[in-house]
Amino acid sequence: MIKNAYVIANSMAGGGTARALIPKITRKLRNKEVSYELFETRKFGHATYLATQLKEDFPVIVVGGDGTLSQVVTGLKNSNKLNSVIYLPAGSGNDFARSFGIALNPEEALEHALTGQSHQVYIGKIHENGHDTYFTNNLGIGFDAEIVQLAENSKSKKLLNKLHLGRLSYPAQAISAILKTKCFSVNLADQEINNCYMLMVTKTPFAGGGIKLSKDQSVFEPRLDLIMIKKDNNVQLIKDLLAFATGNLKASKTVTLLSADHFSYKADQAPAHLDGEIFNQASYDLEISTSFQEFIQ
C-alpha cells in the first residue's frame, strides 16, 4: 500500500473536465491515509518542470491526458529520477490507459494502483539537437497532427468531453483535416519521399482515442511501429485513411508499415504532435528509439 505520493494534475485536461476530478482524487488519498503533495500545471510544459523539481522518490500520480503524462515522464527521465508513475486518465484520447490496461475511470484506476504492482513499460524516446523528449503513445507528422490541431481549437471538443465522449473529438475533425493537410517531404532510410501525407511512429497499439493501429504492438516490448501514408491520388488517399481509421491498414504502394527498435528520419515543415500536444518546427531531424519507465497499476 502506498503511503506517500506526489500528484501532478492538469485541470485543463479533457477540455477542463479534470478540474472537478482533482478534489475527488485528493479526497480518496486522504481516506486511504496517503500523504501527498499536489502540484497543478499552469501552462504547456509546466508538468515537465514540476517533475524535475521533486525531492523524494515517491510515486507520481499524474492526473491529465496523454500529453500531460509524456511531459511528466520527460521531466523524470531528463533529471534522472527513479519515481514510479501512476496514471489516472483524464484527457480526451487516453490511449496509453487502453494500451496498458488501466481503467478509464480515474477513481477506479487510483483504487487499483494504490495496492497495485510495479511494471517496467517501454516508452518512446526522441533525440534531436542534443535534447531528449519522451512519449508514451505516438509521434505524428501531417494528417493526424492536423486533426489534433483542429480538435484543440474546436468548440465541440469541450462539449464531447463533458458528455464523456472526448475520444470522438478527433474523428469529428477528419474531413476538415483532409481538406487542410498538405504533403511534405521525408527522408527515411536514405530514400526521399515527396508526397508524404502522414507519418507516425507509435509505441502503443492505439491512437486517436481508440483507433487500433496494431495487433502486435505492446508496451512491454521495445519495438516501435512506423506508419506512413503517401498521397498518390484523392481516391486512394481516402481509401487509405478509412483503412487507418478502422484499423485495417495494410502495406501497399501508398502505405509503408515498418517495425524496428530505432528509426531515423528527416522531414520538412509540417504540423506535428507528440501524444496529442501540438508542436511545429521549420524542419525535423529525429532519432527515435525506446527507453523504459516504471508504472504502478
Side-chain angles (χ1 to χ4, degrees):
M1 179 72 180
I2 294 170
K3 294 298 182 183
N4 299 280
Y6 293 114
V7 180
I8 296 179
N10 177 7
S11 62
M12 297 307 296
T17 57
R19 182 178 289 106
L21 176 64
I22 296 170
K24 296 178 181 179
I25 296 303
T26 55
R27 182 166 54 248
K28 184 176 283 289
L29 290 173
R30 290 193 298 271
N31 290 341
K32 296 289 185 178
E33 298 183 342
V34 178
S35 297
Y36 66 88
E37 190 171 358
L38 172 64
F39 304 93
E40 293 193 47
T41 63
R42 301 192 192 100
K43 58 184 179 180
F44 176 77
H46 193 205
T48 298
Y49 170 77
L50 291 172
T52 67
Q53 300 303 298
L54 303 179
K55 304 300 183 185
E56 306 291 342
D57 59 357
F58 303 146
V60 183
I61 299 172
V62 180
V63 184
D66 291 320
T68 307
L69 176 62
S70 64
Q71 288 182 48
V72 170
V73 169
T74 293
L76 294 176
K77 299 293 287 185
N78 283 342
S79 55
N80 298 313
K81 296 190 183 301
L82 302 177
N83 305 65
S84 55
V85 174
I86 294 172
Y87 177 49
L88 308 185
S92 300
N94 302 320
D95 287 311
F96 180 77
R98 289 184 178 86
S99 303
F100 189 32
I102 297 172
L104 293 179
N105 181 303
E107 293 180 80
E108 184 181 342
L110 177 60
E111 188 73 32
H112 291 164
L114 289 178
T115 57
Q117 296 182 337
S118 297
H119 304 269
Q120 292 289 347
V121 171
Y122 282 94
I123 57 175
K125 176 182 178 180
I126 302 169
H127 184 76
E128 184 181 31
N129 297 325
H131 180 69
D132 294 332
T133 305
Y134 296 82
F135 62 96
T136 54
N137 293 321
N138 39 65
L139 162 70
I141 303 177
F143 173 69
D144 59 319
E146 198 70 67
I147 288 181
V148 172
Q149 189 162 263
L150 288 168
E152 285 301 310
N153 296 324
S154 72
K155 295 179 180 178
S156 61
K157 183 178 181 181
K158 189 172 183 179
L159 174 61
L160 289 168
N161 277 310
K162 285 184 177 180
L163 297 173
H164 304 288
L165 297 171
R167 63 188 178 84
L168 299 180
S169 60
Y170 300 115
Q173 303 299 325
I175 294 176
S176 296
I178 290 172
L179 297 174
K180 192 174 181 181
T181 302
K182 297 179 181 179
C183 291
F184 56 98
S185 296
V186 173
N187 186 293
L188 176 66
D190 294 325
Q191 181 182 3
E192 193 72 25
I193 300 145
N194 297 315
N195 61 337
C196 188
Y197 193 79
M198 185 186 89
L199 179 62
M200 175 187 288
V201 175
T202 182
K203 190 62 210 73
T204 57
F206 294 102
I211 294 174
K212 186 74 170 179
L213 300 176
S214 170
K215 296 178 180 178
D216 304 320
Q217 179 57 263
S218 170
V219 297
F220 300 110
E221 298 176 4
R223 191 191 82 195
L224 294 161
D225 289 337
L226 181 145
I227 301 169
M228 180 167 59
I229 296 178
K230 293 168 281 187
K231 184 177 180 179
D232 190 4
N233 58 72
N234 289 334
V235 173
Q236 185 59 48
L237 176 64
I238 296 301
K239 289 181 179 179
D240 290 339
L241 293 178
L242 286 173
F244 171 77
T246 56
N248 294 304
L249 198 61
K250 293 180 172 59
S252 67
K253 177 184 175 183
T254 53
V255 175
T256 300
L257 303 176
L258 301 173
S259 294
D261 57 10
H262 179 273
F263 289 108
S264 300
Y265 63 77
K266 298 179 181 180
D268 287 346
Q269 183 177 18
H273 80 93
L274 191 68
D275 287 347
E277 301 282 3
I278 287 293
F279 68 98
N280 288 290
Q281 296 181 183
S283 62
Y284 304 91
D285 186 355
L286 307 179
E287 298 275 343
I288 307 173
S289 58
T290 59
S291 184
F292 55 85
Q293 171 64 45
E294 184 175 278
F295 281 82
I296 299 176
Q297 188 233 347

